[in-house]
Amino acid sequence: MAAAATSALAAARAQLAPTGVLRCGINLSNMLLVTGRGSQGEPQGVAPDLARRLAAALMVPAELVPFPHPNQLCDAVDGGMWDVCLIGADPARASKIDFTVAYCEIQATYMVPISSTKTIADMDAKGVRIASKNGGAYDLWLARNLKNAELVQADTLDASYDAFHSQGLDALAGLRPKLASDLSKDPGLYRILEGQFMSVQQALGCVKPADGSRAGLDFLSQFAEDAKQSGLVQELIDQHGVTGKLSVAGPDDASHALREASGQAFSSHT
């Protein structure tokens, strides 16, 4: 048994950290998973700490590789710039990245004018215009699932708010905690809808190996499950002050991360 475990660890290490260092792609634009910077400018938060714990489990040093936006992180998969990543699982990203079950999730919903009578169910209608940050997991979901509404995409989170506000759009899509903070920009003008149109399933990912080997993904998947069940994810959420904003993904939600992201599990998460 011990020999088999040692062999599995060696195989996972060879696939995930072939240089002897685990290079971890970190999405800096998620303010819930990256909540600050250290004295040397290194990212701090749930995602960076989980990446360091993963490297320790593999018994190799961690190197954090930060990216300003998630689409830049995903595009870098072809350049071999990282070995593993911590990002929202999405079918559009899964063509080149193997994802684990989700370790945490974040509600995505809408901000609307205070006088609006629209609900989440009313949003996908002709004439409705929705602002969104281009390339985020919830934006990818909306691009796939909206059939009638117009998606007005912006390059940054703040630019998506500006488009919503300045153009008088019907709604601003976003992560609930970010939308809540945006309410203070123009007090009394807007409100946030109850419920969610999806939840962003944050997962660990690795580059799809050309030979189809599962050693790395199997190790990552077990690590993600252990991190949830042991209480590590909740511990990091509490430590970094995002309790109530991030939620530990449950067994059901986690096992269907990509199905939910593709819209197939929409009804169970509204």
Side-chain angles (χ1 to χ4, degrees), residues 30 32-33 46 104-106 202 237 242-248:
N30 191 317
L32 298 178
L33 293 173
V46 173
C104 72
E105 61 183 12
I106 315 167
Q202 295 291 330
I237 288 173
V242 287
T243 306
K245 299 176 181 180
L246 280 180
S247 301
V248 178

Side-chain angles (χ1 to χ4, degrees), residues 156-191:
T156 67
L157 291 171
D158 287 338
S160 67
Y161 178 89
D162 292 342
F164 165 66
H165 178 67
S166 64
Q167 297 179 40
L169 304 184
D170 296 282
L172 169 63
L175 301 180
R176 182 175 293 280
K178 172 59 175 169
L179 295 178
S181 70
D182 282 346
L183 285 175
S184 63
K185 292 182 176 179
D186 295 283
L189 290 186
Y190 306 115
R191 64 186 179 88

Side-chain angles (χ1 to χ4, degrees), residues 46-97:
V46 173
D49 277 3
L50 196 63
R52 294 182 183 101
R53 295 291 188 101
L54 172 62
L58 284 166
M59 293 189 257
V60 296
E63 177 187 343
L64 302 184
V65 185
F67 292 87
H69 302 291
N71 51 339
Q72 293 174 334
L73 188 158
C74 293
D75 290 345
V77 68
D78 292 325
M81 296 178 64
W82 49 262
D83 302 308
V84 301
C85 65
L86 295 90
I87 196 170
D90 187 272
R93 299 167 175 170
S95 60
K96 295 183 178 181
I97 301 172

Side-chain angles (χ1 to χ4, degrees), residues 13 31 68 100 124 126 131 147 181 190 204 246 259-261:
R13 188 188 297 126
M31 64 178 187
T100 67
D124 193 13
K126 291 187 182 302
K147 306 303 180 186
S181 70
Y190 306 115
L204 298 166
L246 280 180
R259 285 205 303 145
E260 200 270 344

Side-chain angles (χ1 to χ4, degrees), residues 190-262:
Y190 306 115
R191 64 186 179 88
I192 298 172
L193 295 185
E194 295 295 325
Q196 63 191 62
F197 61 82
M198 62 93 72
S199 62
V200 178
Q201 303 280 300
Q202 295 291 330
L204 298 166
C206 62
V207 181
K208 281 184 179 292
D211 62 1
S213 168
R214 287 188 54 89
L217 180 60
D218 287 347
F219 186 92
L220 287 182
S221 297
Q222 188 61 55
F223 176 85
E225 283 290 4
D226 290 346
K228 290 189 297 180
Q229 294 178 14
S230 69
L232 172 59
V233 175
Q234 186 62 59
E235 174 189 324
L236 294 178
I237 288 173
D238 295 340
Q239 177 185 330
H240 290 286
V242 287
T243 306
K245 299 176 181 180
L246 280 180
S247 301
V248 178
D252 182 62
D253 291 341
S255 64
H256 299 294
L258 286 178
R259 285 205 303 145
E260 200 270 344
S262 66

